[in-house]
Amino acid sequence: MNDQLVSMITQLVMEKMEKSTGSQTPEIAATPTEQPLIKFYDTVENRSSGTTEAIATSQEPLIQLYQHGAPQQVTTVTSATFEQPVNDAVPIKPFQFEAGSLSESVQAAKKHTPARIGVGRAGTRPKTKTWLKFRLDHAAAVDAVYGEVTEDLLQKLDVFQVTTKVTDKEEYITRPDLGRRLSEESKALIQQKCKPQPKVQIIISNGLSASAIEENVQDVYLALQQSLSNLNIDIGTTFYIDKGRVALMDEIGELLQAEVIVYLIGERPGLVSAESMSAYLCYKPRIGTVEAERMVISNIHKGGIPPLEAGAYLGTVVEKILRYQASGVELVAKEG
């Protein structure tokens, strides 16, 4: 190797070592006046002019690149954590089960109504027991509408059966007008078997709840018979109507020329009771009778008006109708 070249390399190495050992602190900090080589700003494009402008709200560049030895400035960025929600207006609350105790006002209301109040919830859903009870009541309501009165009950009451112009349950629900008219065969059967021009004509129909008739009609009917007998009021020939509506009593009244008709019919079931029955009364009902001329004793079931009590009370109402020769609003006016 060339001796002159070796000498030059050795001299350069020695100078470099002396320069590095001669300074105790390395040059790692830039002077305050030193400017970065490159700055990156958050920018927004001005679409109208086709230029890009820096956002005026931020005074500091997003990124600064310095030459060797320049300080690295770290920008602190606040981020959302689980302990501190982003939206302070709607704080996040931990899930808690509903308290088991009810307020005094809710407890007092529960004593006076079978409605579903104060049943509680599990989060956003009803409790399992409440939901199952609701499903059970709904199924009972469906069974009441689509059910049928048994032949055994009709035999116990010693009544014969007639039908309306309705052919099936679906038509009965969707065509109330057909449930207000008797079939031609039924008209002939009624005229054949029933006593004409009775003081009181009792009729029975499943209506919208066969369960109501099964559960209540026997006690109501027997108590009503006994009450009218004690009052020496003549009773016509009772019969049963399948799929009848309330206004059917008008056609029967015109057909038999009865003074008073008592119509025992199953009520539309609810989600509290599917076994509720009503008793409609009217003085001389005829085709064209308005609803204001009718009277009704409703909610006849074990959770409402007891069937035996309802039957006895109906006898006194019939007596009042015959005395004033009126029913409904007109009876109230004559009494007053």
Side-chain angles (χ1 to χ4, degrees):
M1 182 178 292
N2 192 346
D3 294 339
Q4 186 178 2
L5 181 59
V6 172
S7 176
M8 290 177 62
I9 293 173
T10 303
Q11 184 177 0
L12 290 173
V13 170
M14 294 298 294
E15 291 176 357
K16 186 67 175 177
M17 292 178 63
E18 289 175 359
K19 185 182 292 186
S20 61
T21 56
S23 178
Q24 295 181 354
T25 57
E27 297 179 0
I28 59 174
T31 59
T33 59
E34 184 176 357
Q35 298 295 326
L37 296 181
I38 303 175
K39 295 182 181 181
F40 293 91
Y41 288 90
D42 195 4
T43 61
V44 62
E45 183 178 356
N46 190 339
R47 299 190 180 213
S48 60
S49 61
T51 60
T52 301
E53 300 176 356
I55 296 177
T57 56
S58 177
Q59 298 297 331
E60 295 295 333
L62 297 180
I63 303 176
Q64 294 183 0
L65 297 183
Y66 288 87
Q67 202 174 7
H68 294 292
Q72 298 182 357
Q73 298 181 3
V74 180
T75 303
T76 303
V77 180
T78 59
S79 59
T81 62
F82 291 102
E83 291 76 18
Q84 182 180 3
V86 177
N87 189 358
D88 295 333
V90 184
I92 299 174
K93 296 181 180 180
F95 173 78
Q96 293 181 349
F97 282 99
E98 190 174 287
S101 59
L102 299 174
S103 63
E104 294 183 1
S105 59
V106 175
Q107 291 179 7
K110 285 175 69 69
K111 294 178 180 179
H112 295 86
T113 177
R116 290 175 172 84
I117 59 173
V119 294
R121 304 183 72 82
T124 59
R125 299 185 179 186
K127 293 182 179 179
T128 302
K129 182 178 179 181
T130 304
W131 176 245
L132 292 178
K133 184 64 168 59
F134 172 82
R135 294 293 300 272
L136 177 63
D137 291 341
H138 182 267
V142 173
D143 291 343
V145 173
Y146 285 91
E148 299 291 347
V149 175
T150 61
E151 290 292 335
D152 292 341
L153 178 61
L154 300 182
Q155 291 176 5
K156 289 179 182 178
L157 299 176
D158 191 22
V159 296
F160 67 95
Q161 179 174 334
V162 297
T163 60
T164 61
K165 292 185 176 182
V166 174
T167 57
D168 55 32
K169 284 289 185 180
E170 295 299 331
E171 189 176 52
Y172 174 71
I173 294 171
T174 58
R175 292 290 305 274
D177 58 313
L178 297 180
R180 302 187 185 110
R181 291 293 181 267
L182 292 166
S183 64
E184 295 302 324
E185 297 81 1
S186 297
K187 290 181 182 179
L189 187 61
I190 290 173
Q191 288 178 329
Q192 177 187 346
K193 290 191 172 185
C194 291
K195 183 190 304 183
Q197 298 181 349
K199 280 285 186 181
V200 178
Q201 176 65 52
I202 302 174
I203 54 179
I204 304 169
S205 178
N206 51 358
L208 285 167
S209 177
S211 302
I213 300 301
E214 288 282 341
E215 293 294 325
N216 307 297
V217 75
Q218 188 170 2
D219 290 340
V220 173
Y221 178 58
L222 296 177
L224 176 58
Q225 275 187 321
Q226 183 65 41
S227 178
L228 294 176
S229 177
N230 294 337
L231 295 169
N232 296 318
I233 298 175
D234 181 46
I235 305 174
T237 307
T238 305
F239 57 92
Y240 171 77
I241 308 167
D242 185 40
K243 303 179 185 68
R245 295 281 182 171
V246 173
L248 184 59
M249 65 195 309
D250 300 345
E251 186 174 14
I252 295 171
E254 193 157 313
L255 192 65
L256 296 177
Q257 296 296 306
E259 283 199 53
V260 178
I261 285 187
V262 180
Y263 195 175
L264 306 177
I265 187 170
E267 286 184 359
R268 179 183 291 106
L271 291 175
V272 173
S273 175
E275 302 172 351
S276 182
M277 190 181 77
S278 290
Y280 286 84
L281 304 95
C282 189
Y283 178 72
K284 290 186 177 181
R286 301 293 185 264
I287 299 297
T289 297
V290 297
E291 297 303 315
E293 298 177 30
R294 308 189 205 277
M295 304 176 65
V296 61
I297 309 299
S298 60
N299 292 311
I300 303 172
H301 59 96
K302 60 185 178 182
I305 303 175
L308 290 174
E309 181 180 332
Y313 176 68
L314 285 172
T316 62
V317 176
V318 170
E319 181 188 29
K320 188 184 301 183
I321 291 174
L322 291 172
R323 184 194 315 153
Y324 289 98
Q325 297 183 349
S327 60
V329 175
E330 187 180 354
L331 176 61
V332 175
K334 287 186 176 183
E335 281 188 300

